[in-house]
Amino acid sequence: MLIINTIEEVRNHLAKIREKGLSVGFVPTMGALHEGHLSLIREARKENDYVVCSIFINPIQFNKKSDLEKYPRNIETDINLLNDEKCDVLFYPSEVEMLPTTKAETFDFGGLDQFMEGKFRSGHFNGVATIVKKLFEIIEPQRAYFGMKDYQQLVIIHKITKDHNLPVEIIPCHTIREEDGLAMSSRNQLLSKSERKQAATIFKVLKMIKIHSGFSTINEIKEYVESQFRKSKTAKLEYFEIVDMYSLKPLKAWAESNNVIACTAVQVGNVRLIDNIILFS
Ligand code: PAJ
């Protein structure tokens, strides 16, 4: 695997790859790679001639300095994992290379950022969209792979690629979970043993509400979820929303949409975790 640190070099290299008529699949990440990330690389490997992964911990998408500072960094392990997956290029730029000015662009997400992550993490999606758009312009992939775990991010990236006519196909990929159901996340490694145990409650509750969704109202479901987290001292519910899968607008009644997803963010100790489950589509 080639490791490239500069925009100029990666551009020149990929221009030659495209000249040969090879398709490029791209997986943007912030590193501390786990099976969730690797599943995206495998999908990209299946559908493209050439696979590029980027690792860049994007400071402008963190709304808390402490979260950025403690974000896990395991570059040596990441390189080994990417080599094992036969990734062709790791683009691993420095902060000055990617963000000579640390300002995020301001996007119009058409209301997609109004709720959930957008509401609780001010500026987060402008930071994400700024860096993903830059990465797309540098790498110029045919396809880019994103996890359903970050569902709101996926929908927002889909919108900006359409709005800005970026010639890249966004491929959604399933959430990869630990054996007890916890969605894999780089942040999981920051959990203590007891917090890690508590974190499994998140998906247990989501699975339970999927069963209940046929015969309970949305309000009843919300009350059930809130009561489940009130019991726990370490896992604090930040939000739980049942939303339309496309507009991301919270629903008051099931009849309002045919495509429904439940999304949640839970603070477990000092670690903030997100997850979701499709209720019907
Ligand atoms: P990061 O959290 O490193 O995630 C990189 C990609 O991996 C995202 O598309 C995310 O949805 C996906 N992913 C994470 N956990 C997953 C899991 N358990 N199963 C499947 N896919 C999973 O998301 C980001 O980085 C950043 O916001 C980024 C898009 C790179 C922009 O900075």
Side-chain angles (χ1 to χ4, degrees):
M1 180 178 68
L2 268 176
I3 302 175
I4 302 182
N5 305 109
T6 67
I7 294 171
E8 192 187 350
E9 213 182 319
V10 82
R11 270 206 177 122
N12 291 340
H13 178 72
L14 292 175
K16 284 185 214 137
I17 295 298
R18 271 188 297 274
E19 261 168 38
K20 288 186 193 159
L22 300 180
S23 60
V24 175
F26 177 45
V27 180
T29 81
M30 297 201 297
L33 302 181
H34 50 67
E35 278 296 314
H37 296 115
L38 301 181
S39 74
L40 307 189
I41 302 279
R42 284 172 206 143
E43 283 306 305
R45 191 68 283 170
K46 267 194 250 164
E47 297 176 347
N48 302 277
D49 302 312
Y50 208 76
V51 176
V52 179
C53 175
S54 65
I55 294 181
F56 180 68
I57 302 181
N58 174 25
I60 57 171
Q61 74 181 74
F62 287 80
N63 54 330
K64 274 190 190 159
K65 208 173 163 225
S66 59
D67 189 25
L68 171 62
E69 278 164 3
K70 70 180 182 209
Y71 198 83
R73 292 157 167 87
N74 304 326
I75 190 64
E76 297 304 326
T77 317
D78 289 349
I79 290 170
N80 289 334
L81 289 169
L82 291 172
N83 264 321
D84 292 347
E85 295 301 330
K86 311 245 175 314
C87 179
D88 294 295
V89 168
L90 166 61
F91 179 49
Y92 181 48
S94 67
E95 211 174 299
V96 274
E97 183 74 12
M98 275 309 277
L99 292 169
T101 67
T102 45
K103 276 220 169 130
E105 258 183 78
T106 305
F107 290 80
D108 177 3
F109 299 119
L112 292 173
D113 59 334
Q114 234 182 305
F115 305 101
M116 306 190 288
E117 294 303 284
K119 181 170 165 192
F120 284 88
R121 302 183 70 187
S122 158
H124 169 68
F125 285 122
N126 278 322
V128 170
T130 301
I131 218 67
V132 170
K133 184 165 163 271
K134 265 194 186 205
L135 285 166
F136 283 175
E137 284 161 351
I138 295 165
I139 307 293
E140 295 183 53
Q142 253 102 344
R143 300 180 192 84
Y145 295 77
F146 289 87
M148 297 272 293
K149 186 188 80 87
D150 300 279
Y151 186 73
Q152 193 171 13
Q153 168 173 281
L154 171 69
V155 175
I156 281 179
I157 286 168
H158 205 255
K159 178 168 172 58
I160 60 155
T161 53
K162 275 193 153 177
D163 288 355
H164 294 261
N165 302 310
L166 303 174
V168 49
E169 188 184 349
I170 305 299
I171 313 279
C173 299
H174 289 296
T175 301
I176 305 297
R177 301 181 178 280
E178 301 285 356
E179 251 175 50
D180 63 3
L182 175 65
M184 289 195 182
S185 163
S186 304
R187 289 187 166 89
N188 291 353
Q189 57 181 278
L190 302 171
L191 297 165
S192 70
K193 231 177 172 181
S194 66
E195 288 166 351
R196 169 65 189 79
K197 237 176 149 183
Q198 275 289 309
T201 313
I202 303 169
F203 192 57
K204 284 199 187 104
V205 171
L206 289 180
K207 270 197 307 193
M208 191 56 87
I209 63 134
K210 187 173 167 102
I211 297 168
H212 281 282
S213 59
F215 43 86
S216 301
T217 65
I218 289 184
N219 256 342
E220 283 165 351
I221 299 249
K222 283 188 147 184
E223 276 164 25
Y224 168 79
V225 173
E226 281 161 19
S227 71
Q228 290 303 299
F229 285 100
R230 263 198 303 273
K231 287 186 203 160
S232 166
K233 276 194 188 125
T234 28
K236 296 269 163 271
L237 185 66
E238 188 172 88
Y239 67 76
F240 170 81
E241 293 288 1
I242 292 178
V243 304
D244 176 82
M245 285 183 73
Y246 301 107
S247 71
L248 302 183
K249 287 219 172 81
L251 305 176
K252 290 197 176 76
W254 297 116
E256 287 171 23
S257 170
N258 293 323
N259 303 284
V260 181
I261 189 167
C263 302
T264 192
V266 178
Q267 186 81 29
V268 184
N270 288 322
V271 184
R272 188 174 179 281
L273 301 173
I274 60 170
D275 202 354
N276 60 68
I277 194 164
I278 295 176
L279 299 182
F280 45 89
S281 72

